[in-house]
C-alpha cells in the first residue's frame, strides 16, 4: 500500500472507527489541524471528489449526517466547525473533513495547511452538492488558481488580522480562545 492509501488502511481497523453506519465511517484525523478534526469516509470505494456525479448527493448527505453526529457526540456546536472537502485532496478514498474553527494544533505547521482550509481550496459540503446539481461533476482547479490560493496572505479566520508567518498566526489564534 502506498502513502495515499493511508486512510483506507486506517478504516480497516475496527478500533479506529468512532462512528460507523451501513454507508460510512468516522475516524479521527491522524494529524489534526485543530482541536477537533475528523474524517468521514464512505464504505464504497470512491477514490475522490473527481469521481462524483449528482447521483452521489444522497451519499454526501449521509457523510454530512455522520459529520453532524460526531460534533454532537463531542458535545460541540456545528457553527464552530467547517465541514467540507479539499479541492485538491492528497489522500485516496473520498473524505469529508469535519474540523473545528479554532485551528489550534501542533500539526498545523505550514501556510499550505492554513490556506487549504481557509481559502477556496476548501469546498464546503453545501458548495460541492450545489456544484454537482449544476454541473454533474467536480473539476480540478486550474494550476494558476491553485498556486494563487496557496500564496494567499495568512488572514485570521476570526478577525481581520493578517499574520506575517505561521508562528505569528498560531500565537494570534490562541488569543481567540
Ligand atoms: P486531504 O488533503 O483532503 O487528502 O487530507 C488528508 C487528511 O488525512 C489530512 O488531514 C491528514 O492529516 C489525514 N491523514 C493522513 N494519513 C492519515 C491516516 N493514516 N489516518 C487518518 N488520517 C490521516
Ligand atoms: Zn483573529
Amino acid at each position: 500500500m502506498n502513502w495515499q492509501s493511508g486512510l483506507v488502511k486506517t478504516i480497516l481497523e475496527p478500533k479506529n472507527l468512532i462512528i460507523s453506519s451501513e454507508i460510512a465511517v468516522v475516524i479521527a484525523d491522524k494529524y489534526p489541524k485543530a482541536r477537533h478534526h475528523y474524517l468521514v469516509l464512505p464504505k464504497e470505494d470512491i477514490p475522490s471528489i473527481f469521481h462524483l456525479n449528482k447521483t452521489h448527493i444522497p451519499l454526501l448527505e449521509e457523510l454530512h449526517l455522520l459529520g453532524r453526529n460526531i460534533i454532537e457526540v463531542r458535545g460541540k456546536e456545528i457553527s464552530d466547525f467547517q465541514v467540507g472537502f479539499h479541492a485538491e485532496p492528497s489522500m485516496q478514498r473520498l473524505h469529508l473533513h469535519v474540523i473545528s474553527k479554532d485551528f489550534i494544533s501542533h500539526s498545523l505547521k505550514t501556510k499550505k495547511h492554513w490556506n487549504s482550509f481557509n481559502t477556496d481550496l476548501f469546498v464546503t459540503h453545501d458548495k460541492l452538492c450545489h456544484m454537482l446539481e449544476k454541473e454533474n461533476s467536480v473539476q480540478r482547479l486550474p494550476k494558476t488558481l491553485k498556486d494563487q490560493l496557496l500564496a494567499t496572505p495568512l488572514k485570521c479566520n476570526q478577525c481581520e488580522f493578517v499574520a506575517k508567518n505561521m508562528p505569528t498566526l498560531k500565537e494570534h489564534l490562541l488569543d481567540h480562545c
Side-chain angles (χ1 to χ4, degrees):
M1 266 196 189
N2 59 15
W3 66 269
Q4 290 164 313
S5 310
L7 300 181
V8 175
K9 211 171 145 196
T10 298
I11 65 170
L12 288 175
E13 284 277 342
K15 70 169 171 34
N16 292 329
L17 310 182
I18 309 173
I19 301 179
S20 182
S21 77
E22 265 179 43
I23 293 167
V25 297
V26 180
I27 58 171
D29 194 292
K30 196 173 174 183
Y31 309 100
K33 306 301 186 295
R35 283 182 169 152
H36 292 268
H37 190 178
Y38 308 99
L39 301 173
V40 190
L41 288 81
K43 288 187 173 169
E44 188 184 341
D45 191 13
I46 300 171
S48 76
I49 51 171
F50 307 117
H51 297 78
L52 297 173
N53 58 49
K54 63 170 75 160
T55 69
H56 292 105
I57 291 174
L59 172 72
L60 295 177
E61 294 302 348
E62 172 77 9
L63 301 190
H64 195 258
L65 175 68
L66 261 61
R68 295 199 305 274
N69 287 349
I70 185 64
I71 293 170
E72 201 181 322
V73 165
R74 293 292 187 252
K76 303 290 168 190
E77 296 291 329
I78 186 139
S79 57
D80 293 328
F81 280 74
Q82 287 181 199
V83 182
F85 302 84
H86 277 148
E88 279 292 334
S90 54
M91 303 290 287
Q92 272 167 21
R93 179 71 67 92
L94 177 72
H95 52 278
L96 176 73
H97 288 267
V98 179
I99 183 165
S100 55
K101 292 178 182 171
D102 54 84
F103 288 100
I104 289 171
S105 166
H106 291 300
S107 298
L108 182 86
K109 291 179 176 154
T110 65
K111 186 169 189 174
K112 184 176 180 177
H113 288 156
W114 180 257
N115 281 338
S116 74
F117 284 103
N118 290 288
T119 66
D120 284 346
L121 291 168
F122 189 78
V123 185
T124 65
H125 161 83
D126 290 353
K127 190 171 168 186
L128 195 90
C129 289
H130 188 70
M131 224 181 260
L132 289 172
E133 285 281 5
K134 229 172 103 193
E135 329 247 348
N136 200 27
S137 68
V138 179
Q139 299 302 315
R140 283 186 186 278
L141 294 179
K143 186 172 181 316
T144 45
L145 177 57
K146 200 183 111 184
D147 291 346
Q148 203 179 313
L149 292 168
L150 284 170
T152 306
L154 295 169
K155 189 182 168 302
C156 177
N157 62 334
Q158 294 157 74
C159 76
E160 293 306 309
F161 180 73
V162 180
K164 63 176 189 300
N165 54 36
M166 280 303 287
T168 312
L169 177 63
K170 284 167 68 85
E171 208 179 303
H172 171 82
L173 290 170
L174 288 170
D175 293 342
H176 284 296
C177 285

